[in-house]
Structure formats: C-alpha cells, structure tokens
Amino acid sequence: KQWYQRRVRGSEEPVECGKGTYSRNYECRACKLEEGEYQEETGGSFCKVVTPGMYLTSVSEAPVQCEKGTFSKGSQPTCIACEPSLKEYQNEKGSTYCKICSYSGKVTDGATRCEGLGCKA
C-alpha cells in the first residue's frame, strides 16, 4: 500500500490523509458524495467511484448494494426506485436496471415483485 501524506503548516511531520479524503500536492481533499466518490481507507491518493448496483452512505465507507425495488448505474450516491406505474420492478439486490413486468402482470410489494401470468420470479 502506498501512503500519501500532507504536511501540517509549521510542522515538518507528515500527516496521513483520513478516510473520505485523498492527497494531492500535499493537501488532503474531500471526496464528493454528490458525484458518487468515496475513499474508505486512510492515505488514499484518489477517490474511488461507486460501481453500478451500489450506493453510498458516506464518503468514508465502502458502497452498499442497492435494495430490492431499486437500481443504480454507478457514479451516483443513491439508488433509483423502480416505477410500478411503468410496470418496473426489481426482485434482486445490487441491480443495475429494473425488470419489466409482463402486460398481464401486476407489480407489488414496493416494486419488488411481479405477479401474474408470464412473470419471472
């Protein structure tokens, strides 16, 4: 692991950048939650970007899987809800898209299930 540090003004001792930040030109800079950035380790040299199917609770913690009924395409801090009125649903965690319920099916349980003829589990 590489350690990137910053110098505290008036001190010769380097100080490691904390979680949720990264080092650039001996300065600690914050990762931007609104842009889907995070850094869960100390001493980082860059912010990581949340991957599809995941969301962030904090810039200093690892991403979490999107819940059933939601999805994420990545590089965003939150998951997007599937729209039952458009017959969208998602019955799996960590998804990157919503499934479409069949014409004769019905979306239930907060967009987590499709019930009826031709629906997949």
Side-chain angles (χ1 to χ4, degrees), residues 1 5 8 15-18 21-22 42 48-49 52-53 66 73 75-76 84 92 95 98 103-104 118-119:
K1 178 177 179 177
Q5 302 171 330
V8 177
V15 177
E16 184 176 78
C17 291
T21 66
Y22 68 102
T42 58
K48 299 174 183 177
V49 179
C66 289
K73 293 187 181 256
S75 299
Q76 58 193 43
E92 299 176 45
S95 184
C98 291
Y103 176 75
S104 61
C119 294

Side-chain angles (χ1 to χ4, degrees), residues 50-54 66 71-76 78-80 95-97:
V50 69
T51 56
M54 309 291 273
C66 289
F71 73 100
S72 166
K73 293 187 181 256
S75 299
Q76 58 193 43
T78 59
C79 298
I80 300 167
S95 184
T96 59
Y97 62 93

